[in-house]
């Protein structure tokens, strides 16, 4: 019997290689588990190669560590075969642990195959010595080496499977597991080696043309280390990249969520807005169709909100609205939707077990609002009128339901406020008409049914025309010519005013360009803006575009904003007005005297003109109060350096009075009705001829 001995340095190195190979394998399973698509195959193939080379080289270095008193060599084809077996077994193992589940039976089966693979690699590697006579194997030790191989494989597979997900201490745990796995693999190898007995006079056939020599261990070691480090490095870098991508994706999701929140919620109260409400109503309708049941839509309008807003200012008004939102919301279940869809209008969507439940709820909401609110040291008392529409029954679409709830709310308001009303068909005619009108309004732009009439403005002193106000008209297919008071509100409520307003702006500028070319270069065309347009982000751009398209200087255009609009969100309007004013656009405060006229605020507005509301002008002759108010407004305007325009001038007496007071320009039926451009110009021409004579 030949007595062999070991180089302990090489034994130690083989152990290190085994541990490193195990660690790489564990790390790679993590990659495979999180990879998608083709990357899975890439990581499995690369992993099989790296791990196979690692396990095999551990074994090969272990063989090199073994010295016999005779020369040893390794048959190249057989050695290569043992390497191939190692790579294939490792590939199988990686594939197995990257499956979504690893049931016990599969684990046992996998351990058998992998254990056999590693044993096969080992004993094929031994066969590469080509000993004559053959190696004797001690049956007990041989069997134990097989058992260790299978056992170690089972442990390795189970550990790898459990550790493939990223968790806080995964690096440390993997390190520990790699040490255990490494020791198991080495244990198998050296048990197998111990089983081998080399009879006296043995001769190693592979010394003739196989691998041999002193540098072999170093070469194998370096190659292995290179392969393993490349695999490990790639894996770590990829994991970093993946983590970064995950971080990016997370912040993107967050940003998206914020955007959605902004688009679908009211900024003041944080409650859902009109858009989200529509969506929720549609969902609720679908649910009722599928599962039965019913829901109620309650239109809640505050009574007495406007006086609070006017008396205490919009900051208090805003605060009060927030408090109302909170109080209503607190009383609801999480699946109910409370939305704010306009100034002091809230809408509540609640699922009901039976229609009558709406009664109790509405009464409760009314009661909640009737309790006083404490806002900034003030006790404020308001109430609410609630209109209820039920589904199924009171409408076929979200819009119709809302309209009907709105109609019921008006009914409640008419019945003395601070109460609620269920919708009833008798309230319907108006609501239905509105709905029909809305549908027609939607189509009006497309069908070119809008036109502009122009009403002249005259210089009060010399009575010469100084421009015109553009007033919107709708040629309705069945109802004839409609004035703005019939449809502007509706267009505002539904947001259609944005598109319509853009059309008006463009058409007015187009017309003004014609007059400009005719020589009326000092005229100004006045265009009315609604509150919604004024809050819309695109306004400044729309104005700039209309002016540019029609080659008009900015001060050919006057924008009329009602006083209430300009004051309702003072800070926001200030920014928009300032931008428009910086462009050189002329700004006019329309209907002055009817709203909440804060003088402080008026002073800061970059306006150029005040338009005295026609309500004051009308009663000028009979009502001394109105005469006093008008003269005060004129004095105020002059002090602030604003042009003063009086609208609604119908009589000569009014004209004289207003001229004497110092109004700069006048507008009214006495001087000219709103007319289509062509007739408007005929009148102007007639005036010029008269003046010439
Ligand atoms: P406003 O800006 O105060 O326009 C003046 C309104 O008074 C016009 O009514 C005009 O026809 C009327 N009016 C003119 N002179 C007299 C008069 O001597 N006596 C009387 N009783 N009334 C006179 P219209 O055209 O029905 O417009 C009503 C309101 O609709 C306008 O009030 C304006 O706020 C709004 N509006 C008109 N066109 C547009 C538009 O294109 N966009 C927007 N957002 N609102 C518009
Ligand atoms: Mg106006
Ligand atoms: Mg007006």
């Amino acid at each position: 019997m030949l007595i062999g001995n070991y180089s302990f340095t090489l034994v130690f190195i083989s152990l290190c290689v085994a541990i490193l190979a195990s660690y790489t394998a564990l790390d790679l399973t993590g990659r495979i588990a999180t990879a998608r698509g083709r990357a899975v195959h890439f990581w499995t193939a690369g992993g099989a190669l790296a791990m196979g080379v690692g396990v095999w080289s551990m074994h090969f270095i272990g063989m090199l560590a073994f010295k016999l008193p005779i020369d040893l060599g390794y048959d190249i084809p057989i050695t290569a075969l043992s390497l191939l077996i190692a790579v294939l077994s490792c590939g199988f193992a990686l594939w197995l642990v990257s499956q979504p589940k690893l049931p016990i039976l599969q684990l046992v089966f996998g351990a058998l195959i992998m254990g056999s693979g590693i044993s096969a690699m080992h004993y094929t590697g031994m066969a590469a010595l080509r000993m004559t006579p053959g190696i004797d194997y001690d049956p007990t030790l041989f069997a134990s080496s097989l058992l260790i191989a299978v056992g170690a494989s089972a442990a390795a597979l189970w550990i790898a499977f459990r550790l493939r997900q990223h968790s806080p201490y995964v690096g440390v745990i993997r390190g520990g597991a790699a040490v255990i796995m490494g020791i198991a693999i080495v244990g198998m190898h050296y048990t197998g080696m111990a089983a081998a007995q080399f009879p006296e006079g043995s001769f190693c056939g592979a010394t003739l043309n196989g691998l041999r020599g002193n540098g072999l261990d170093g070469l194998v070691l370096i190659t292995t280390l290179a392969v393993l480090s490349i695999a490990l490095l790639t894996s770590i870098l990829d994991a970093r990249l993946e983590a970064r991508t995950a971080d990016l994706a997370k912040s993107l999701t967050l940003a998206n969520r914020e955007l959605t929140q902004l688009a679908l919620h009211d900024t003041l109260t944080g409650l859902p807005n009109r858009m989200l409400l529509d969506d929720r109503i549609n969902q609720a309708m679908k649910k009722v169709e599928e599962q039965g049941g019913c829901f109620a839509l309650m239109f809640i309008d505050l009574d007495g909100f406007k006086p609070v807003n006017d008396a205490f200012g919009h900051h208090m008004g805003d605060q009060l609205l927030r408090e109302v939102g909170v109080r209503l919301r607190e009383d609801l279940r999480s699946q109910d939707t409370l939305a704010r869809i306009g100034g002091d209008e809230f809408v509540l969507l609640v699922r009901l077990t039976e229609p009558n439940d709406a009664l109790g709820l509405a009464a409760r909401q009314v009661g909640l609002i009737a309790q006083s609110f404490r806002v900034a040291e003030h006790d404020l008392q308001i109430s609410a009128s609630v209109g209820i529409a039920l589904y199924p029954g009171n409408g076929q679409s979200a819009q119709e339901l809302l309209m009907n709830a709105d109609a019921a709310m008006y009914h409640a308001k008419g019945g003395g406020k601070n109460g609620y009303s269920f919708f009833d068909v008798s309230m319907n005619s108006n609501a239905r008409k509105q709905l029909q009108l809305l549908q027609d309004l939607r189509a009006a732009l497309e069908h070119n049914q809008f036109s502009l009439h122009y009403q002249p403005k005259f210089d009060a002193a010399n009575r010469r025309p100084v421009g015109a106000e553009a007033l919107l008209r709708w040629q309705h297919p069945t109802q004839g010519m409609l004035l703005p008071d019939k449809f502007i509100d509706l267009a505002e409520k539904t947001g259609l005013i944005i598109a319509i307003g853009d059309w008006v702006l463009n058409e007015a500028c187009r017309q003004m360009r014609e007059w400009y070319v005719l020589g009326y270069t000092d005229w100004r065309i006045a265009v009315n803006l609604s509150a919604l347009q004024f809050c819309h982000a695109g306004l400044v751009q729309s104005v700039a575009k209309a002016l540019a398209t029609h080659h008009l200087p900015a001060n050919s255009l006057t924008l009329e904003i009602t006083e209430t609009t300009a004051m309702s969100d003072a800070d926001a309007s200030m920014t928009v007005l300032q931008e428009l004013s910086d462009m050189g656009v002329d700004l006019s405060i329309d209907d002055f005297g009817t709203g909440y006229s804060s003088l402080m605020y008026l002073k800061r507005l970059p306006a150029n003109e005040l338009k005295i509301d026609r309500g004051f002008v009308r009663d000028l002759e009979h009502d001394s109060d109105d005469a006093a108010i008008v003269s005060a407004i004129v004095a105020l305007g002059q002090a602030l350096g604003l042009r003063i325009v009086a609208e609604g001038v119908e009589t000569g007496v009014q004209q004289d009075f207003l001229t004497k007071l110092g109004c700069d320009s006048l507008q009214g039926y006495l001087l000219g009705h709103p007319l289509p451009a062509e007739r408007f110009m005929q009148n102007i021409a007639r005036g010029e001829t008269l003046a010439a004579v």
Side-chain angles (χ1 to χ4, degrees):
M1 189 74 64
L2 293 174
I3 306 296
N5 64 340
Y6 286 95
S7 146
F8 282 98
T9 327
L10 283 179
V11 170
F12 178 71
I13 290 176
S14 74
L15 175 65
C16 293
V17 169
I19 292 173
L20 187 61
S22 303
Y23 188 86
T24 312
L26 289 174
D27 195 76
L28 287 172
T29 48
R31 295 290 67 230
I32 298 172
T34 52
R36 299 271 167 275
R38 279 174 52 190
V40 176
H41 304 302
F42 167 75
W43 282 115
T44 313
L49 191 69
M51 191 180 157
V53 167
V55 172
W56 174 83
S57 70
M58 170 272 135
H59 147 88
F60 196 73
I61 293 171
M63 301 249 299
L64 291 173
F66 182 66
K67 298 275 181 327
L68 277 179
I70 52 169
D71 263 356
L72 293 180
Y74 305 91
D75 183 272
I76 295 173
I78 302 180
T79 304
L81 177 67
S82 75
L83 174 60
L84 183 69
I85 295 174
V87 171
L88 288 179
S89 331
C90 290
F92 167 76
L94 283 177
W95 170 80
L96 191 70
V97 296
S98 62
Q99 297 309 303
K101 283 199 191 118
L102 186 61
I104 183 79
L105 214 66
Q106 210 159 313
L107 178 70
V108 171
F109 180 69
L112 277 174
I113 292 193
M114 193 181 159
S116 319
I118 289 177
S119 309
M121 170 205 74
H122 176 82
Y123 290 103
T124 311
M126 295 291 280
L129 288 168
R130 304 230 329 257
M131 299 301 288
T132 23
I135 306 171
D136 277 343
Y137 286 104
D138 176 291
T140 327
L141 284 174
F142 176 73
S144 334
S145 80
L146 292 190
L147 278 180
I148 294 177
V150 173
S153 298
L157 286 174
W158 185 79
I159 292 173
F161 182 76
R162 297 309 302 265
L163 285 186
R164 51 191 203 160
Q165 296 305 353
H166 263 288
S167 54
Y169 298 107
V170 77
V172 181
I173 303 175
R174 266 189 198 151
V179 172
I180 297 175
M181 276 168 70
I183 292 176
I185 296 172
V186 169
M188 179 268 149
H189 175 85
Y190 289 102
T191 315
M193 291 296 285
Q197 292 164 352
F198 301 87
E200 204 67 57
S202 286
F203 167 71
C204 173
T207 43
L208 298 178
N209 47 10
L211 287 169
R212 53 184 308 218
N214 274 341
L216 212 53
D217 42 5
L219 186 71
V220 171
L221 180 65
I222 287 171
T223 318
T224 309
L225 286 181
V227 170
L228 289 178
S229 351
I230 289 172
L232 206 55
L233 215 69
T234 319
S235 168
I236 290 170
L237 286 179
D238 188 65
R240 288 249 170 93
L241 198 69
E242 190 183 89
R244 269 241 298 282
T245 317
D247 278 352
L248 272 175
K250 216 199 277 158
S251 43
L252 203 65
T253 320
L254 266 173
N256 261 333
R257 200 173 300 155
E258 235 164 77
L259 264 180
T260 330
Q261 165 79 17
L262 277 179
L264 297 178
H265 292 78
D266 165 45
T267 37
L268 180 67
T269 57
L271 293 172
N273 64 12
R274 178 66 192 251
M275 209 144 77
L276 186 53
L277 176 69
D278 274 347
D279 190 55
R280 297 267 169 90
I281 299 176
N282 286 326
Q283 277 176 25
M285 285 178 8
K286 209 183 275 164
K287 211 163 167 190
V288 168
E289 251 115 68
E290 287 165 7
Q291 309 170 2
C294 59
F295 68 83
L297 205 61
M298 304 194 178
F299 204 110
I300 305 171
D301 188 280
L302 304 181
D303 314 314
F305 173 74
K306 201 175 171 311
V308 170
N309 207 33
D310 287 353
F312 295 99
H314 61 94
H315 280 303
M316 283 276 278
D318 287 356
Q319 188 57 32
L320 177 60
L321 287 174
R322 258 183 238 123
E323 300 276 326
V324 169
V326 169
R327 198 180 279 181
L328 289 176
R329 184 65 253 182
E330 268 171 2
D331 185 55
L332 301 171
R333 299 162 302 179
S334 60
Q335 69 265 37
D336 301 333
T337 299
L338 177 69
R340 175 168 172 254
I341 64 168
D344 58 352
E345 295 169 338
F346 295 82
V347 171
L348 176 58
L349 170 72
V350 271
R351 225 177 134 67
L352 304 170
T353 14
E354 57 172 306
N356 273 341
D357 294 349
L359 202 119
L361 186 60
R364 243 197 359 254
Q365 304 278 337
V366 170
L368 279 175
I369 302 299
Q371 291 164 27
S372 71
F373 286 87
R374 182 129 189 104
V375 178
E377 319 277 285
H378 294 278
D379 278 317
L380 303 177
Q381 196 69 47
I382 53 170
S383 63
S385 300
V386 178
I388 308 162
L390 296 170
Y391 186 87
N394 294 165
Q396 300 292 331
S397 66
Q399 227 147 45
E400 200 179 344
L401 283 168
L402 265 174
M403 287 269 191
N404 289 345
D406 190 29
M409 185 276 291
Y410 272 108
H411 191 261
K413 260 206 202 304
K417 304 186 175 171
N418 193 24
Y420 56 89
S421 271
F422 278 88
F423 173 74
D424 178 281
V425 250
S426 63
M427 310 166 186
N428 188 310
S429 61
N430 187 31
R432 196 161 285 293
K433 268 193 214 141
Q434 285 285 97
L435 192 67
Q436 183 58 49
L437 197 67
L438 174 60
Q439 274 163 9
D440 298 343
L441 192 61
R442 286 233 155 82
L445 259 186
E446 214 178 302
H447 296 149
N448 273 329
Q449 290 165 356
F450 289 120
S451 62
L452 291 183
H453 280 192
Y454 298 91
Q455 185 176 33
K457 288 184 182 175
F458 292 90
D459 186 300
N462 63 21
R463 309 214 165 167
R464 284 231 286 269
V466 293
E469 177 171 9
L471 294 160
L472 184 60
R473 299 294 179 260
W474 177 16
Q475 188 61 46
H476 188 275
T478 55
Q479 301 180 36
M481 174 81 80
L482 295 183
L483 292 176
D485 58 324
K486 287 275 189 301
F487 61 89
I488 287 282
D489 262 2
L490 195 60
E492 274 250 319
K493 262 191 190 157
T494 51
L496 286 171
I497 192 70
I498 301 291
I500 298 176
D502 267 355
W503 180 87
V504 172
L505 200 57
N506 245 297
E507 175 58 17
C509 287
R510 190 198 60 73
Q511 184 58 63
M512 183 58 213
R513 175 69 198 176
E514 273 187 25
W515 293 332
Y516 196 87
V517 171
L518 285 176
Y520 300 102
T521 49
D522 55 344
W523 279 11
R524 285 204 182 91
I525 186 82
V527 170
N528 292 286
L529 287 188
S530 83
L532 196 70
Q533 275 174 286
F534 195 60
C535 301
H536 194 67
L539 176 68
V540 178
Q541 217 184 346
S542 294
V543 171
K545 197 166 154 230
L547 288 171
T549 310
H550 301 287
H551 313 286
L552 280 181
N555 80 340
S556 295
L557 177 67
T558 300
L559 294 177
E560 295 194 0
I561 309 139
T562 66
E563 184 189 11
T564 332
T565 303
M567 309 280 175
S568 71
D569 187 350
D571 297 329
S573 22
M574 190 64 87
T575 325
V576 177
L577 285 175
Q578 197 57 58
E579 277 178 64
L580 290 168
S581 164
D582 290 346
M583 269 167 63
V585 174
D586 192 72
L587 298 170
S588 171
I589 309 293
D590 205 348
D591 301 347
F592 191 78
T594 54
Y596 167 64
S597 319
S598 155
L599 295 184
M600 276 303 290
Y601 180 63
L602 185 66
K603 211 176 101 190
R604 284 169 51 212
L605 277 182
N608 313 81
E609 182 182 279
L610 278 190
K611 273 185 104 168
I612 303 173
D613 187 66
R614 60 179 177 277
F616 298 113
V617 175
R618 185 183 52 218
D619 300 327
L620 214 51
E621 295 163 45
H622 321 287
D623 190 331
S624 56
D625 276 355
D626 277 358
I629 290 174
V630 171
S631 52
I633 293 178
V634 172
L636 170 72
Q638 283 172 341
L640 293 175
L642 299 170
R643 289 197 314 270
I644 314 290
V645 181
E647 61 179 350
V649 182
E650 295 183 353
T651 68
V653 177
Q654 289 167 350
Q655 183 182 22
D656 292 342
F657 186 84
L658 290 163
T659 309
K660 272 200 208 92
L661 273 185
C663 286
D664 298 280
S665 18
L666 304 178
Q667 178 184 353
Y669 291 166
L670 175 73
L671 307 156
H673 282 264
L675 290 172
E678 205 174 317
R679 288 181 51 204
F680 169 87
M681 273 322 267
Q682 285 165 4
N683 286 351
I684 294 287
R686 193 173 309 137
E688 280 168 356
T689 333
L690 281 177
V693 217

